[in-house]
Amino acid sequence: LDYLCRVGEPPVFLAMPRVNFNALERERAYIARMKERGHTPVVLGVDQVEGEGVYECHGLAVMDSYFSRGELVDRSILCVNDRVAIGALRAAAQHGLEPGAQRRGGLRIAGHDGYPLCPFTTPPLTTVAQNVDGIGHGAVARLAKKIRAEKTTGDEVIQLFNGEMFIRQSA
């Protein structure tokens, strides 16, 4: 997020319909960080686009509606996940836009998750990859505690792991 804040106007957040915990947490984190930096958060795409899915098709449909009106064509767009970002990249291509720091126009698109196809999109997608090893070790440790019937602080445990940013041509 800080990377995308360094250029032009602050990024907008391309969300998705309210279907999973990670999406809501990422949206909350975006809003908190924007407020922390003195910016007004802009969240798009929280409602289901009729007849569209919640991933690539959603990103395509939401961004197509903005790009077709000439809106957000020079902004940074932080997407809730890489699959939504892939749809946003497709919308940009359909409107002749070229996302990326080294391209004309100022449009930048980034995602979350480290989806394996990110290096193969056009342009390659900037993403924050999940710490899969850390998540795996944490899950195994939690499971081992349950198996040994060790006392825990409660049924629900939220453990956050740092991700790794891969800056590619899309941002």
Side-chain angles (χ1 to χ4, degrees):
L1 187 56
D2 290 332
Y3 172 76
L4 294 176
C5 282
R6 290 187 196 127
V7 293
E9 293 184 60
V12 300
F13 187 81
L14 176 53
M16 58 189 249
R18 309 298 197 221
V19 296
N20 72 42
F21 174 79
N22 284 344
L24 291 172
E25 284 302 306
R26 290 173 183 171
E27 183 179 325
R28 286 185 196 117
Y30 162 81
I31 291 168
R33 188 69 175 142
M34 288 293 95
K35 288 180 178 179
E36 209 175 274
R37 294 182 66 103
H39 301 300
T40 302
V42 178
V43 178
L44 318 169
V46 296
D47 296 318
Q48 179 74 34
V49 178
E50 191 172 326
E52 300 297 336
V54 293
Y55 296 106
E56 295 88 354
C57 291
H58 180 75
L60 172 62
V62 171
M63 294 317 301
D64 179 63
S65 71
Y66 283 94
F67 294 156
S68 66
R69 296 188 306 263
E71 297 177 24
L72 304 177
V73 298
D74 59 353
R75 293 290 295 272
S76 293
I77 300 166
L78 179 59
C79 300
V80 66
N81 63 40
D82 292 335
R83 292 183 61 192
V84 169
I86 289 170
L89 284 176
R90 173 83 179 209
Q94 289 178 346
H95 288 274
L97 302 170
E98 299 177 11
Q102 304 302 317
R103 298 175 187 239
R104 63 179 169 83
L107 177 63
R108 294 168 183 246
I109 298 175
H112 285 91
D113 288 337
Y115 192 60
L117 297 179
C118 290
F120 302 100
T121 61
T122 303
L125 184 62
T126 293
T127 187
V128 177
Q130 294 187 37
N131 180 347
V132 177
D133 288 339
I135 293 168
H137 289 293
V140 169
R142 176 90 171 128
L143 182 60
K145 282 183 179 183
K146 286 281 192 188
I147 291 170
R148 290 190 304 263
E150 292 179 15
K151 298 260 186 204
T152 59
T153 58
D155 289 335
E156 184 178 312
V157 173
I158 298 173
Q159 185 175 0
L160 301 177
F161 297 88
N162 288 330
E164 183 177 359
M165 186 163 189
F166 289 91
I167 299 173
R168 299 190 179 103
Q169 287 82 9
S170 72

